[in-house]
Amino acid sequence: MSNLKMLMSSVAGTCLSLAVWGPAFAAENAPAAENNTALEQVIVTATKTETNLQKTPIAISVMSALAMEQRHDESLLSLQDGVIPSLRIATFEARQSALTVGIRGIVPFDANQTARDQGVGVYIDGIYLGRQQGLNAALFDVERIEVLRGPQGTLFGRNTEGGALSIVTKVPTGVFGGRFSVGAGNYGAYNGEVHQNFQQFANISVKVDALVQHQDPTTKNPMNGQAGWNQYDRKGGRISALYQPTDNFSADLSVDYAKDENTPFFSQLLNYNPYGKRVRTLAEATAVAAAPAGTINPLADLVKVHTSRQSVSDIGTVQQPSVDKTGGASLIMKYKVSDNLELRSITGARAVATNQWDNSGIESRNVFAPNGNFGRYSLSDLYQRQYSQEFQAVGDFGKEFTYVAGVYYFKEHVKESAASPITNTWNATGTGYAIRSAYGTSKAGATTAGWEYGTRFIIRASQADATSYAVYGQGTYTPAGMDKLHLTAGGRYTKDKRDGTLYVVSGKATNFKFNYDKGRFDPLVNLAYDAADGVSLYAKYSSGYRAGGANARSQNFQAFDAESVKAYEIGAKMDLLENRLRVNLAAFAMDRDNTQIDFDNVDTTPGSPTQGAHTEETRNASGVSKIKGFEADITAKVMDGMTVGVSYAYTDVQIPKTPFPFPGNADVPLGSPFPVNVVYTPPNAASAYVDYEMPVGELTLRGHLEANYADAQYAFQSEFADVSPTGKLVQNVAVKTDSSFIVNGSVTLADINVNAGTTATLALWSRNLLDETHVYRISAANRGTIGDYGNLNPPRTFGVELRVKY
């Protein structure tokens, strides 16, 4: 660890030196020449227009289609390994059905609800995706993924205080041709894709995309007929039609649908009785309420502590795949009024349906009691639909002034219901268990809920509507005679309205309502200076926010306010040594007001009337959260055919204490200051890669090898547990995950001539090549009653893939 930190410090120091001496470097070198040792130029659309990455004064990371192919990326969750150090992607809880996305320390803990949002906006072809659910759907023919780091409140708007992740897909070409791929790997994996372009007819170009991705579980379930954990089966298709009757007008219509059947990562028991309490006898464990203080129930004989990745669960249980359905339509129209003005319309309608089934904590989150029930089956049904409309005007008044202006409308409706039935029952000694009825049981006048529809005990149900209006504008002024100086200024006014109802709490009809109605203005000022050929420096002020809302897991749907960020950033973008070396640097500081903090609690006590109940309250932190960091991206073409790259991100987040939301505890009174953590934000993260390409006769051999590292980090903002012999509540017992070091690689033989106009590529790939194991999510909330539990990263996967282009 110390050697790695020394290396990172050395890299950071080198980067800073390059920032100082870069202009001199560039001045001593001629402008870029056309040769095989120059780096390719990258085009991005971060400013709503196509610009060169190196000429765009924003911190941006770009994943190309080729890079994703080399890594065998299938969905956004593939980026969880940290290939982009400042971008953090994780499962919500252990579930693949919803993703948590964060940038620069702005990572929501729980936006997996009806009236909450993320702090990083995710877009597909300019269409904002309003929910965490469905983000792990398979990706359709991606051209590139742009990661815009830092607040994007002016051009992108609400819920982009940390940044934006923009997925850009390939449009129809109008030329008959296409490509397909088939592959297979370990864990029963297989995949296939078809991307077919049809010849343009009547000025209409059509493209069809279809795919399938499958993997068997990496942790098996010993119960026959039930799914295991960390498995998925994704299918989807998209049809795009591009109508272009003239060079001045185009209309791109796309319709897509995807279905993802997946199971969560398995939650393992990482330790038992970490505080060394006296273990209760079976008689004491039977009557938990009367058990002596400072004691703990025994661990069932069948359940073991596992610190390495489990391939089979100790306990068999009911588990079926969650089903996520996503789909929508978009229409993007562009009309070039003149050489200096283009008008655009971006219309999107999308929907998400998620039916969640999660029994991943069957052995790690359930306390043993003789003849007691266990196995919290977390069930949720969420349905969302959204509509958005944006009009843009993009143009210029000659070379001195360029601009983009627009108006935006967004409408969303979400509803969700949830249940947490108990699936298993222990025998008297913990040496065996039985599966309860899926339809519930009725015995001695008592009714126990099941997990089939119609028999569930609904613990919460809510619905919410959100409407947002915005108007924005941004312009860049380059003074005549000072063509190296560029001043960009802009602003966006947004009006957010949101209301909702929590109409079921713990099986009882309720009528808790909230209403949120506020407007805000987000400005931007960016001063850029071309210090020399290939060297651009910039200083930027920007702001952004995450909308207010209400927590559907709370007892009364209490509303909370928006959190907002003011960001200050300086950066340098340098192409040096005749474009053989590219160095991009950024340093930033952010002040975040009203940070939204979640306090999470799950009752695991056997026999408790609220066993399995999940309570969560959200409060705005008092004071200002301080975030600062440094980022470096270095790419070098060291020789013809070989490219190497290194990226590094340092992030420091300090969050003020937040009022404790739960009453009734003398140790931590209601409203008292409570320490909190930032989640999924390693202080240090880095990635490095090498790409090599060489001719082999008429063929081309390519190799890709990369390594991604991240420090240990928190997975929960705040946790508390009864840990002392007197039952004292200890403040924030949340612990950090493991650090991680993931190596991926691939070897590809390309340009295999099949026949005239048809070529093939054969690739061998591996993710987590070294089969490294780390806990990426850990909870200490149950350490006073059983122990810590966690989720481990995916094991090594590998496979072969054939790609054919025609």
Side-chain angles (χ1 to χ4, degrees), residues 332-354:
I332 302 173
M333 296 188 291
K334 300 179 181 179
Y335 176 55
K336 197 169 184 62
V337 179
S338 67
D339 291 340
N340 306 101
L341 176 62
E342 182 175 87
L343 301 179
R344 302 173 184 169
S345 171
I346 304 172
T347 307
R350 300 199 62 82
V352 175
T354 295

Side-chain angles (χ1 to χ4, degrees), residues 275-461:
Y275 296 111
K277 294 182 178 183
R278 180 178 71 79
V279 179
R280 296 164 184 158
T281 65
L282 286 180
E284 291 174 330
T286 302
V288 177
T295 62
I296 189 172
N297 274 26
L299 193 65
D301 289 344
L302 294 179
V303 176
K304 308 299 180 185
V305 171
H306 296 271
T307 56
S308 58
R309 187 183 295 108
Q310 281 183 254
S311 58
V312 181
S313 170
D314 294 334
I315 303 295
T317 192
V318 180
Q319 178 67 72
Q320 62 190 80
S322 297
V323 180
D324 307 321
K325 298 177 182 178
T326 61
S330 66
L331 175 61
I332 302 173
M333 296 188 291
K334 300 179 181 179
Y335 176 55
K336 197 169 184 62
V337 179
S338 67
D339 291 340
N340 306 101
L341 176 62
E342 182 175 87
L343 301 179
R344 302 173 184 169
S345 171
I346 304 172
T347 307
R350 300 199 62 82
V352 175
T354 295
N355 305 116
Q356 170 193 300
W357 304 79
D358 180 1
N359 209 351
S360 59
I362 181 62
E363 61 190 51
S364 62
R365 301 179 65 181
N366 297 280
V367 179
F368 165 70
N371 301 310
N373 299 324
F374 72 103
R376 178 181 183 270
Y377 207 0
S378 180
L379 313 177
S380 170
D381 296 299
L382 181 142
Y383 303 95
Q384 181 255 16
R385 62 178 185 268
Q386 66 174 70
Y387 171 81
S388 61
Q389 176 63 59
E390 185 170 5
F391 295 106
Q392 298 176 352
V394 180
D396 63 75
F397 295 105
K399 296 182 179 180
E400 293 184 6
F401 189 77
T402 61
Y403 65 89
V404 56
V407 293
Y408 179 76
Y409 170 78
F410 176 82
K411 176 70 174 178
E412 177 188 41
H413 174 76
V414 195
K415 65 178 181 179
E416 185 234 16
S417 62
S420 55
I422 306 300
T423 57
N424 293 39
T425 300
W426 286 114
N427 65 9
T429 59
T431 56
Y433 56 88
I435 302 298
R436 296 159 61 84
S437 170
Y439 298 94
T441 59
S442 181
K443 185 190 307 181
T447 300
T448 303
W451 48 90
E452 291 294 340
Y453 289 105
T455 70
R456 297 180 179 181
F457 178 81
I458 302 301
I459 58 174
R460 71 174 185 272

